[in-house]
Amino acid sequence: MKFISVLTGITGLLLSLIGSAYTGELTSDLQQLAASQPPTEKVRVWIKLHPAVDNQQFKTALATQATSRAERHQMALSHFKSEHAAAQETLLEKLDELKALGKVKTTHAYWIVNVVEAEVAVGVLPTLAARSDIEIIQRVPSVHLIEPDQTGTPQPGGTSGATSNLAYIKARQAWAAGYTGSGRLICSFDTGVEGSHDALYGKWKGLDGDSAAAWFDPVFGESFPHTQPASLNHGTHVMGIMVGHHDADTTGVAPDAKWISAAVIDVGSTVILRAFEWAADPDGNPNTVDDVPDVINHSWGFDRNDWKIGCEDIFFDVIDHIEALGIVNIFAAGNSGSSAYTITNPANRAQDSLDCFAVGNLNATASPPVIALNSSRGPSDCPDTFDETKPNVVAPGTSITSTWPGNTYHTLGGTSMATPHVSGLVALLRQKNPNATVDEIKEAILTSATVGDPSWDVMPNNNYGWGQIDCMAALNALAGPEGTTNVRVYDFTHAPISPGDTVEGALVLECLGDAVTDVSALITGSHPSLAVINGSAYFGDITRGDTVRSGDTIRVAIADSVNESQILSIDLQITGTGFTIPSQLYFVVNPPATKSVVTHNTGRIQFSISNFGLYGLGAGSVIPGPGAGFRFDGGDNELFEAGLIIGTSFTQVSSAVHTYIYEPVNDFKVAPGGNMQFFSPGSLAFEQTLSRFNDDNAADPLGIEITQESFADNGSNNDFIILRYILANRNGSSLNDIYIGLFFNWDAGGYYSNNVGGYETDDEFVWVAYYNGISTIDYRGMKLIQGTLATALTESESNLIAIPAEGGNGFEMWEKYQALTAGFGSADTYRNSPNALFQLMAAGPINLAADGVDTVAFAILAGTDFAGISDAAVRAQSALTDVESPEDDILPESFTLFQNYPNPFNPSTLISFDLERASEYKLSIYNTLGQLVHEESGKARAGRVSIKWNAESLASGVYFYKITAGDFS
């Protein structure tokens, strides 16, 4: 009953999608063919119908409603077959009618994807494309082998043990820990495999008597694996890197895994979709899963120049569907480097960090290891509005020795040699946890990837992705099933590191397997730039799913000769009763904090910002600097001064705004790791910045750390710029009644004494404009678009810019706090009275617990007239939803709630969760009677949110917590 009800629920959800249809289209080359060829000329095409399955919804349903890989496979198989058959029914009836008229020759309906293949007369293509159930009709493309970029040399003898590339990725350590791929199944889509090779023969699954379920040969239909055509030996070499092993000769990452293969690359015409359907259920029995591979290794793609496939999603859909069945897909990135955007389709898709998992070629034989020259580079251009990181990871792919026809060995190089290292690792991971989902396996590989050398720069990037694979680190990162031991480093908390520092930090371990006892950790390795002062920590007992922070402090001295941005690693060993797990600690050396200024340019606005709370800094500013100030439509700088002010009382205010004119206040300083980062294009806007500063320079610091983001668009939203501030309380105790505001002293129109200004209650923005005696023009202003509006102030600047020599007291601290909390009483004082004006818009009051976080955001607006700035204010409010990202510029893939730590705790604990988009949230905590004992709510941007709960007033015991955010709970 459970199985039936799940399918019924999913089907009902997806049927509503089928009803939403549009007229289809022909690709441009088919349009030309239909116009130029005789109407009876036939062409083989793929007819893609509108989606019958929403991939993301279905993936979510499987993850929540199926508990095992076998159940997920059975549900998905049945669903794809039934949904696609229903969606294709009327089209197949039409094609049968056209067959009777001689206008269609052959048809083949696929179930793995909503596509019908047919040989169709070009004269009827436009009519078919006009059907409401058709999305697009395109020629059947040909897939091509990703040729090796290094020919290498034959080696008639064996390998005399395991090859060095296996040691490099720590495969040997994985074997020693018992992970050899035993019981797992690997598949390749390639040029065929020489099945008689000594290192491969005994591992072919077809030896169990069902060769059809272990070898797919669409050309000759032969029952035993062979190269196809005979001159192409690529597939044999690739398979050897995954499973090759004979006596002492070992070339395979998973030497005890079994293999199957489909010989479908470079065979004249593509049968790639049929190969996917075969691999989805090789023995044709949906009730069995031992025939279904854990991973498919892909060394093929589409030549961008031969066929303009771009980001066509037929191939993306089939990959999504095959992974819904529980099969991981790993792709060679391509050998078209070293330019950007050279990743081969379909490996180039990057809807998220796990999508179409692409592998680059690492030359691990070089010192230091470096990305191979010809390895294809990111970013991704699929979809074409994205600029996401690719490849996903790198693996050794240069001078790799593996199996070769004729029972010999050969050395080749390229991303096709790197990719099977990752596919072999999938088999090791599935051995550890046979029910791990596709995403869980990819996540373990991605998050455990390491940086091989400081020259690789900050990860992830478009050369190395998230780093090089590490078999042991990936195994440690994957949660095991019941009955396994798995403890990993969850966190290592310490202050930012500079050259010459002594790092003191607390180590946090997480138990992903069964409960463990008497756990400790010890630094066992060495590094020339690290001196271990105290390298041991004790944790005691850890139950399954818990995290524990050590009471001991790890202390390591960093050499003063290390380079900025260098990543230093050292071996760590985690031990407990009956187990030892190797791991590593990483130390990231920050570059020195540097003040800097960058200028956004939207095409209409030029606006300069800093990473220390000041804005403008151009010619004519109160504090001139390297900036452009604020310019609109090619005009001069119209910003005399602008800066951030934050305070809690008349005696505690931190500010970048002057006290005395021409004497800047430097309360804000660049925080460690807070150097200005400028992205053009950014992942979420045409231009983005990211920086971080704190108020340590203030006379009485609040202890606030501010992450500043800015977003500028060069399209229809080029008349405003968004500034967002993430406030983090770092002073160790709660901060209440915080107000934060932006101070802007405009010279609208270039004539400050003729400015008027006010506040618009409907669209909630303040403005200043130039009054020329007849009309009001050149509107400038700002709007709070995230946070609670406390103040909208427009005032004369006359009493704020005095200097001591003239007897003035300037803009004093108490006046700044008064301005922050002034409310709306003076918002319209100068709406019709020209004067030299300043404006301040502030959010508050904000209450932050220790380590609490909150967010506010402002839009800086401009328009030639009132209608223009009003329109900009409206668009700026809705644009905020388009710039949701965490500070590291990497969006979480899903809503995730984490185990609190420390756990057990006394008296407080930290509860963390990930938001995949900005939303309001509510934290509810209950006792074992189900009574609500604590509740708090807030709104946060996308990314990691952490809340510290102090429970010292409550009794000891077990408590449960729930997070509700948007539609998620």
Side-chain angles (χ1 to χ4, degrees):
M1 289 299 294
K2 176 184 178 184
F3 178 68
I4 294 173
S5 67
V6 167
L7 287 182
T8 302
I10 295 175
T11 301
L13 172 68
L14 299 176
L15 284 176
S16 64
L17 297 171
I18 297 171
S20 140
Y22 306 89
T23 302
E25 63 174 309
L26 290 175
T27 56
S28 58
D29 61 321
L30 284 179
Q31 293 176 27
Q32 295 172 7
L33 198 67
S36 62
Q37 297 296 317
T40 56
E41 183 75 21
K42 291 184 175 62
V43 60
R44 200 154 62 97
V45 296
W46 278 347
I47 306 171
K48 182 173 187 275
L49 293 87
H50 290 289
V53 178
D54 183 292
N55 292 336
Q56 187 57 48
Q57 290 180 356
F58 187 64
K59 179 179 178 180
T60 302
L62 282 177
T64 57
Q65 300 179 40
T67 58
S68 68
R69 184 187 174 210
E71 188 177 2
R72 286 192 294 270
H73 179 267
Q74 189 179 47
M75 287 173 60
L77 200 70
S78 174
H79 191 62
F80 291 141
K81 287 184 176 182
S82 61
E83 290 299 320
H84 291 151
Q88 296 165 9
E89 184 176 0
T90 58
L91 172 63
L92 290 171
E93 291 174 354
K94 180 62 177 178
L95 293 176
D96 284 342
E97 293 176 9
L98 293 172
K99 273 185 184 178
L101 298 174
K103 296 179 179 180
V104 171
K105 188 175 181 182
T106 59
T107 58
H108 180 87
Y110 291 100
W111 60 262
I112 193 65
V113 68
N114 205 13
V115 169
V116 173
E117 186 175 319
E119 199 170 348
V120 182
V122 297
V124 301
L125 286 176
T127 302
L128 278 178
R131 290 172 56 96
S132 61
D133 55 349
I134 302 302
E135 180 177 308
I136 193 168
I137 304 178
Q138 63 186 48
R139 281 192 180 191
V140 176
S142 294
V143 299
H144 299 289
L145 177 71
I146 296 177
E147 296 278 359
D149 65 1
Q150 179 189 20
T151 57
T153 55
Q155 294 181 226
T159 61
S160 300
T163 51
S164 60
N165 48 296
L166 301 179
Y168 186 85
I169 64 171
K170 299 184 181 177
R172 294 178 182 177
Q173 293 183 32
W175 305 337
Y179 300 109
T180 60
S182 177
R184 309 322 304 167
L185 185 61
I186 285 174
C187 178
S188 68
F189 285 7
D190 218 301
T191 61
V193 180
E194 189 62 74
S196 59
H197 196 290
D198 284 345
L200 301 176
Y201 174 74
K203 305 177 186 314
W204 180 49
K205 190 180 181 298
L207 296 179
D208 64 6
D210 189 357
S211 64
W215 173 244
F216 182 64
D217 180 357
V219 177
F220 300 107
E222 295 183 13
S223 60
F224 188 78
H226 57 87
T227 56
Q228 187 165 281
S231 61
L232 292 176
N233 303 313
H234 183 278
T236 304
H237 195 272
V238 166
M239 187 60 72
I241 300 171
M242 292 189 281
V243 303
H245 174 64
H246 177 66
D247 293 335
D249 300 328
T250 304
T251 60
V253 178
D256 288 338
K258 299 291 187 182
W259 64 270
I260 63 177
S261 186
V264 290
I265 308 305
D266 286 344
V267 293
S269 62
T270 186
V271 285
I272 199 74
L273 295 185
R274 299 187 194 197
F276 273 114
E277 289 190 341
W278 169 77
D281 189 17
D283 68 356
N285 182 356
N287 297 306
T288 60
V289 292
D290 62 329
D291 59 310
V292 180
D294 294 287
V295 61
I296 303 175
N297 187 88
H298 302 277
S299 298
W300 56 270
F302 298 88
D303 191 319
R304 293 166 179 264
N305 298 319
D306 283 355
W307 201 77
K308 299 298 182 184
I309 194 166
C311 295
E312 173 53 49
D313 60 2
I314 284 179
F315 310 101
F316 301 153
D317 281 349
V318 75
I319 293 161
D320 287 344
H321 295 175
I322 207 77
E323 291 195 336
L325 294 164
I327 303 170
V328 181
N329 288 262
I330 306 295
F331 289 87
N335 301 323
S336 303
S338 55
S339 300
Y341 301 106
T342 53
I343 304 289
T344 303
N345 180 296
N348 60 341
R349 185 177 70 157
Q351 296 276 13
D352 56 43
S353 62
L354 305 182
D355 191 27
C356 290
F357 212 77
V359 184
N361 171 10
L362 179 69
N363 182 358
T365 66
S367 183
V370 65
I371 191 73
L373 180 64
N374 290 338
S375 185
S376 291
R377 315 299 167 93
S380 166
D381 54 356
C382 283
D384 55 15
T385 55
F386 278 30
D387 242 350
E388 298 299 314
T389 301
K390 279 283 177 175
N392 299 80
V393 293
V394 294
T398 302
S399 298
I400 304 298
T401 299
S402 185
T403 49
W404 198 253
N407 217 27
T408 62
Y409 294 84
H410 203 84
T411 300
L412 292 178
T415 56
S416 290
M417 283 63 253
T419 305
H421 287 82
V422 183
S423 297
L425 174 54
V426 172
L428 306 185
L429 293 168
R430 268 277 166 78
Q431 181 186 354
K432 178 176 181 178
N433 189 346
N435 288 318
T437 67
V438 169
D439 280 2
E440 286 170 344
I441 287 174
K442 290 181 180 179
E443 184 88 25
I445 297 171
L446 195 78
T447 58
S448 65
T450 62
V451 179
D453 187 76
S455 63
W456 293 12
D457 208 353
V458 178
M459 301 286 114
N461 61 45
N462 291 310
N463 292 327
Y464 298 90
W466 276 256
Q468 65 187 12
I469 65 168
D470 182 318
C471 293
M472 281 308 301
L475 285 162
N476 289 336
L478 179 68
E482 296 288 343
T484 63
T485 298
N486 186 17
V487 182
R488 67 165 180 170
V489 174
Y490 179 82
D491 198 4
F492 179 41
T493 56
H494 55 78
I497 302 171
S498 297
D501 282 354
T502 295
V503 180
E504 298 186 4
L507 196 60
V508 181
L509 298 186
E510 180 180 22
C511 179
L512 296 173
D514 285 352
V516 288
T517 59
D518 197 26
V519 180
S520 61
L522 177 67
I523 294 177
T524 57
S526 61
H527 191 288
S529 297
L530 300 175
V532 179
I533 301 169
N534 179 49
S536 63
Y538 184 72
F539 302 85
D541 300 344
I542 313 177
T543 59
R544 183 181 180 89
D546 277 353
T547 52
V548 173
R549 182 188 298 268
S550 167
D552 305 313
T553 299
I554 299 290
R555 298 184 70 223
V556 177
I558 310 293
D560 57 10
S561 58
V562 299
N563 297 323
E564 299 164 7
S565 302
Q566 189 169 352
I567 301 175
L568 312 173
S569 64
I570 194 166
D571 288 339
L572 178 80
Q573 188 169 276
I574 303 170
T575 59
T577 303
F579 73 90
T580 298
I581 297 174
S583 187
Q584 284 189 314
L585 279 185
Y586 296 92
F587 301 83
V588 181
V589 182
N590 293 300
T594 305
K595 288 185 174 182
S596 57
V597 177
V598 299
T599 299
H600 280 302
N601 189 342
T602 71
R604 297 195 74 186
I605 291 176
Q606 284 182 278
F607 178 49
S608 298
I609 67 173
S610 76
N611 58 347
F612 48 94
L614 271 177
Y615 308 102
L617 299 163
S621 301
V622 63
I623 306 169
F630 184 98
R631 303 169 187 266
F632 187 60
D633 284 345
D636 294 330
N637 176 28
E638 297 175 289
L639 187 58
F640 185 59
E641 182 182 9
L644 192 68
I645 306 176
I646 183 168
T648 59
S649 68
F650 289 104
T651 58
Q652 191 179 37
V653 175
S654 298
S655 169
V657 178
H658 78 276
T659 297
Y660 297 112
I661 194 67
Y662 306 122
E663 293 185 16
V665 174
N666 295 309
D667 287 350
F668 297 122
K669 62 177 289 188
V670 183
N675 286 344
M676 180 73 74
Q677 300 178 55
F678 181 75
F679 308 99
S680 180
S683 61
L684 301 167
F686 171 63
E687 292 179 343
Q688 293 175 222
T689 73
L690 174 67
S691 60
R692 189 177 297 111
F693 51 90
N694 57 44
D695 69 336
D696 286 359
N697 286 345
D700 185 11
L702 283 74
I704 289 284
E705 182 179 82
I706 299 169
T707 298
Q708 174 184 276
E709 299 170 299
S710 64
F711 306 89
D713 186 23
N714 66 342
S716 58
N717 290 332
N718 61 3
D719 48 4
F720 62 83
I721 288 175
I722 291 175
L723 295 174
R724 181 162 59 183
Y725 304 95
I726 297 92
L727 313 179
N729 178 9
R730 304 302 191 204
N731 75 357
S733 60
S734 61
L735 273 174
N736 296 321
D737 297 324
I738 304 167
Y739 290 83
I740 178 172
L742 280 181
F743 171 96
F744 268 67
N745 188 337
W746 294 103
D747 293 342
Y751 300 93
Y752 57 87
S753 60
N754 285 74
N755 283 181
V756 291
Y759 171 63
E760 301 305 315
T761 55
D762 288 345
D763 294 322
E764 297 184 313
F765 69 95
V766 292
W767 56 268
V768 164
Y770 169 58
Y771 177 66
N772 61 14
I774 300 174
S775 59
T776 307
I777 58 174
D778 296 337
Y779 283 77
R780 313 291 178 250
M782 57 184 156
K783 174 182 175 68
L784 181 72
I785 54 176
Q786 185 173 351
T788 301
L789 184 60
T791 293
L793 174 68
T794 306
E795 272 291 358
S796 167
E797 68 177 25
S798 60
N799 66 327
L800 301 180
I801 63 172
I803 59 177
E806 297 177 356
N809 294 322
F811 196 7
E812 296 185 86
M813 181 182 293
W814 69 270
E815 291 176 301
K816 292 176 181 177
Y817 184 74
Q818 187 179 57
L820 283 174
T821 57
F824 303 88
S826 301
D828 292 311
T829 302
Y830 297 92
R831 179 179 287 269
N832 299 303
S833 303
N835 209 316
L837 303 175
F838 78 86
Q839 291 188 315
L840 186 141
M841 184 166 261
I846 299 169
N847 298 327
L848 291 177
D851 295 319
V853 176
D854 208 339
T855 304
V856 297
F858 299 85
I860 312 304
L861 314 166
T864 56
D865 52 24
F866 183 77
I869 196 171
S870 296
D871 183 52
V874 172
R875 284 182 283 106
Q877 183 66 62
S878 60
L880 181 66
T881 58
D882 298 328
V883 297
E884 298 161 355
S885 76
E887 65 188 48
D888 290 332
D889 206 32
I890 301 173
L891 282 170
E893 286 119 76
S894 64
F895 174 95
T896 308
L897 179 61
F898 297 95
Q899 176 66 53
N900 66 299
Y901 78 87
N903 185 17
F905 64 93
N906 183 22
S908 62
T909 189
L910 195 68
I911 298 173
S912 299
F913 52 96
D914 278 352
L915 298 178
E916 65 178 354
R917 60 181 181 272
S919 61
E920 294 181 347
Y921 65 84
K922 180 171 68 176
L923 168 66
S924 305
I925 301 178
Y926 304 86
N927 61 21
T928 53
L929 299 177
Q931 297 168 323
L932 182 68
V933 298
H934 178 79
E935 189 169 88
E936 64 183 273
S937 59
K939 185 173 182 179
R941 61 180 190 150
R944 180 68 49 83
V945 181
S946 297
I947 297 173
K948 180 174 283 188
W949 178 45
N950 191 327
E952 61 184 349
S953 62
L954 296 174
S956 298
V958 176
Y959 293 88
F960 302 92
Y961 58 91
K962 178 177 75 170
I963 291 291
T964 304
D967 298 329
F968 296 99
S969 180

